[in-house]
Amino acid sequence: MNCDNNCGSCESAESCSNNEMNEQDAKIASFLKNVKNKLVVMSGKGGVGKSTVAASLALTLSEQGYKVGLLDVDLHGPSIAGIFGLTGIPLNADGNRILPYQYNENLQVMTVQGLLANPDDALIWRGPLKIGVIRQFIADTQWSPLDYLIVDCPPGTGDEPLTIAQTLTDAKAIVVTTPQEVSLSDVRKSISFCKLAQLEILGLIENMSGFVCPDCGSVHNIFKSGGGEKLAQQQQISFLGKLPIDPAIVESEDAGDPAAMSEPAREALKIVVKNVIAQTKQ
Ligand code: ADP
């Protein structure tokens, strides 16, 4: 039988897998109406601080009074639970709705880590399963109305960022890089991916940009500095700012408390957040 997508009047609606899809699409659409800004944090390669940036942005925006949802769909290395001290907390379900973790009055956190029985287990899932889980996480989570939904994507240009780009149709990407050439060359691929996936780029952040010595206060450019800003200019995308290497960030994240960072890092983050606010819907 030909499908005209009119499930309400279709005799086969109950047994039809298309119907399930349409129901999910309807749930996703009704959630998206309640989210002002959808920001997808991406990187060309792992370890450049994508999750750190996603967590810091989410926390700072929530502390400034914005309603924020932070969704970790990095299925192979979900770090958000660790950063917020939520490791080992199982998914909280209420009937067929999943409840996000209320981190503070304004910040709700949802992470795929709750799907893993043991956080150290490896996940071996093929594309369609990953796509299904991400869509279900967006459709079935009981988010409050949000000013910002921040999505922590896995590195690279695979199924997960593509699913997010196709599901959150008016999302914008924040691309995170470190200043050295190996990272910049990967980030060019992320930029090209965004263009192909029609995911508008909000801007680029250069993380681990210089190390402020806590003893003498001087700046050491361990991974060079300024490469991200130059790349943003070349690619004609907005540069949102730089974050320095800060040992306090590693310590606070390892301890499950993302709030602690040194003063230079906090000042740098304020600039990034100000730029994000200036370029998003209020
Ligand atoms: P990704 O999500 O890109 O894989 P993470 O955010 O998990 O990267 O960061 C990788 C490691 O680097 C973590 O231990 C994190 O604490 C650390 N890190 C990230 N950004 C900084 C920074 N600006 N200063 C110091 N350590 C950082």
Side-chain angles (χ1 to χ4, degrees):
M1 196 204 309
N2 286 336
C3 175
D4 62 359
N5 286 323
N6 200 352
C7 309
S9 60
C10 178
E11 285 172 16
S12 313
E14 259 177 46
S15 57
C16 175
S17 60
N18 257 357
N19 187 18
E20 228 171 75
M21 198 72 173
N22 289 344
E23 236 178 66
Q24 197 174 55
D25 282 339
K27 277 193 202 166
I28 291 173
S30 95
F31 157 61
L32 294 182
K33 267 194 275 166
N34 287 321
V35 183
K36 262 194 217 158
N37 298 286
K38 297 121 205 163
L39 303 179
V40 186
V41 184
M42 305 177 63
S43 65
K45 66 205 265 326
V48 300
K50 171 185 54 63
S51 302
T52 301
V53 165
S56 308
L57 275 178
L59 188 61
T60 311
L61 285 165
S62 74
E63 286 169 352
Q64 293 188 12
Y66 293 96
K67 297 286 178 202
V68 184
L70 175 59
L71 173 64
D72 183 2
V73 295
D74 190 345
L75 290 158
H76 297 280
S79 322
I80 292 296
I83 293 176
F84 284 90
L86 308 175
T87 307
I89 296 184
L91 278 188
N92 188 7
D94 176 18
N96 53 6
R97 305 293 282 167
I98 316 170
L99 304 177
Y101 183 85
Q102 194 75 44
Y103 186 76
N104 65 27
E105 197 192 337
N106 294 327
L107 176 58
Q108 298 185 321
V109 181
M110 186 70 211
T111 155
V112 289
Q113 180 257 198
L115 292 176
L116 306 174
N118 175 349
D120 293 331
D121 284 350
L123 197 71
I124 307 177
W125 284 358
R126 292 194 192 278
L129 188 54
K130 291 197 265 187
I131 293 167
V133 164
I134 292 172
R135 284 178 53 86
Q136 195 176 358
F137 256 59
I138 296 171
D140 292 342
T141 300
Q142 187 87 57
W143 300 100
S144 303
L146 299 173
D147 295 307
Y148 291 93
L149 175 70
I150 296 178
V151 184
D152 185 10
C153 259
T157 55
D159 290 315
E160 297 93 330
L162 191 58
T163 306
I164 290 291
Q166 288 170 343
T167 308
L168 308 180
T169 39
D170 61 342
K172 294 185 180 172
I174 292 180
V175 185
V176 180
T177 184
T178 50
Q180 68 271 47
E181 188 48 43
V182 276
S183 179
L184 291 170
S185 95
D186 280 319
V187 102
R188 285 189 198 99
K189 290 188 196 134
S190 294
I191 294 170
S192 138
F193 165 87
C194 290
K195 289 181 184 156
L196 290 171
Q198 295 180 334
L199 182 61
E200 194 182 318
I201 300 176
L202 187 81
L204 189 136
I205 294 174
E206 182 175 305
N207 187 34
M208 306 197 196
S209 179
F211 170 69
V212 187
C213 173
D215 297 326
C216 67
S218 58
V219 177
H220 303 275
N221 290 324
I222 297 173
F223 297 139
K224 304 206 282 194
S225 178
E229 189 163 10
K230 220 160 98 190
L231 179 69
Q233 271 169 8
Q234 282 164 357
Q235 299 274 339
Q236 297 179 318
I237 58 180
S238 166
F239 185 66
L240 297 169
K242 299 178 195 177
L243 297 175
I245 299 170
D246 177 10
I249 292 181
V250 185
E251 273 169 39
S252 66
E253 289 187 355
D254 283 354
D257 170 14
M261 58 177 69
S262 71
E263 210 37 48
R266 192 173 302 286
E267 287 306 312
L269 178 61
K270 266 194 211 158
I271 295 174
V272 171
V273 172
K274 203 169 141 208
N275 286 333
V276 169
I277 294 170
Q279 294 183 36
T280 47
K281 290 182 216 157
Q282 298 305 310

